[in-house]
Each structure stands twice: as structure tokens, then as C-alpha cells.
Amino acid sequence: PFMVVREYFRRRGFKVLFSSSGRPPETSDNFICTSYPGLRREKPLHPAYRRMIQIFGVQRLEKFNRHAEAAKLRRKGGGNRGGGDPDLFVYKRDGKRTRFFVEVKHKDELRTNQKVVFPLIEKILRCPVELVRIYPLPTVQKKVRT
């Protein structure tokens, strides 16, 4: 489903990055925001994390990750520092700084780390997170005359 949404935005002139470690292989279309804590800390910086630094700035992104990691560890039932990134990051270089994250769902619901992280993305990174739910089109049955 997220490939359908990615193409929807691409056809409307947006650049679309997808959440992935890129290992293997690293691509120019992936990003790391709060997932993969080990990759976010490696030196030199992982290219997928560096993309988000270029967009949000290193100080804001590091502040966001401090808050996100602490919140994920505090969550009910015990947590981990990984996960929580939305599926897509969509933006245009149009002078207006048009940018937002997109989480694509079909039948599943938001995971716990997503429920923790998405409000922090909006508060600290000051970037909206949109939820897109994909539904199949109803099939139309034709009556055939015999």
C-alpha cells in the first residue's frame, strides 16, 4: 500500500523518501528519523539520517530523538528505542517548505511506538504526520444477458 501512496505524491511533483535503513543497499530515497538508533549514532553519519539532518537541523533532530527514545522506553509494557518512523517523508522545494510525514495503513493499526513518536514529530520537529488508510475499491458486478 505505501508504494501506491508514494506514487500518488510523486505524480503531484513531490519528492518522497521512505523509512528504511537502506542496508543493503543504501539508496537516495530512504530516510532514518528515530528508527535504527545504532545507525543514527554511527560515524560517519548514515546517509539516510544525514538527509533528515539537512532538512530539520542536527540540534532539533537530536532533541527530538532524546525525547522520543525516553518516551519509547517509558511506554507501558516496556519499550525499546527503535521504531516509530512514519512510512514516508514527502516534501517539495517550492519556497514554502512544504513537508510532512505519511503513515500508510491497510488493515493494521498504529503500533505503540508510532503512537508515542508521532505527536513528538509534530511538536518538536514541527512537521505534520498524516495517516492514509488504503481501502480496496468495491468490485462492480455486471449482469450478463444470455
Side-chain angles (χ1 to χ4, degrees), residues 7 31 71 109:
E7 282 308 306
F31 77 90
E109 298 298 324

Side-chain angles (χ1 to χ4, degrees), residues 6-134:
R6 184 171 78 165
E7 282 308 306
Y8 171 86
F9 286 113
R10 281 183 172 172
R11 289 181 182 185
R12 282 154 182 79
F14 289 92
K15 174 78 173 155
V16 182
L17 304 177
F18 61 94
S19 174
S20 169
S21 68
R23 292 213 174 145
E26 162 61 24
T27 74
S28 61
D29 288 338
N30 63 331
F31 77 90
I32 295 173
C33 192
T34 193
S35 295
Y36 312 104
L39 295 179
R40 287 189 278 111
R41 290 175 176 81
E42 72 179 20
K43 301 292 182 206
L45 288 173
H46 191 282
Y49 188 59
R50 196 169 45 239
R51 280 183 200 94
M52 292 288 98
I53 288 174
Q54 291 169 345
I55 292 167
F56 294 107
V58 67
Q59 290 176 336
R60 186 181 302 165
L61 197 58
E62 287 179 357
K63 176 183 177 182
F64 160 72
N65 274 305
R66 281 192 307 274
H67 287 271
E69 285 185 6
K72 287 188 277 186
L73 290 172
R74 282 192 311 265
R75 71 179 172 81
K76 187 178 177 180
N80 60 45
R81 295 180 309 147
D85 279 343
D87 293 318
L88 304 172
F89 180 71
V90 180
Y91 66 101
K92 266 189 185 178
R93 293 188 176 126
D94 58 2
K96 300 178 205 171
R97 289 179 50 165
T98 303
R99 59 188 185 195
F100 52 95
F101 288 93
V102 176
E103 178 61 25
V104 181
K105 294 294 185 186
H106 177 53
K107 295 179 181 179
D108 54 330
E109 298 298 324
L110 289 177
R111 288 171 276 157
T112 303
N113 276 356
Q114 292 174 321
K115 291 177 185 177
V116 169
V117 168
F118 290 3
L120 294 172
I121 289 173
E122 292 184 336
K123 180 180 178 184
I124 298 171
L125 296 182
R126 297 186 292 247
C127 189
V129 179
E130 304 293 336
L131 177 63
V132 174
R133 192 158 297 277
I134 300 291

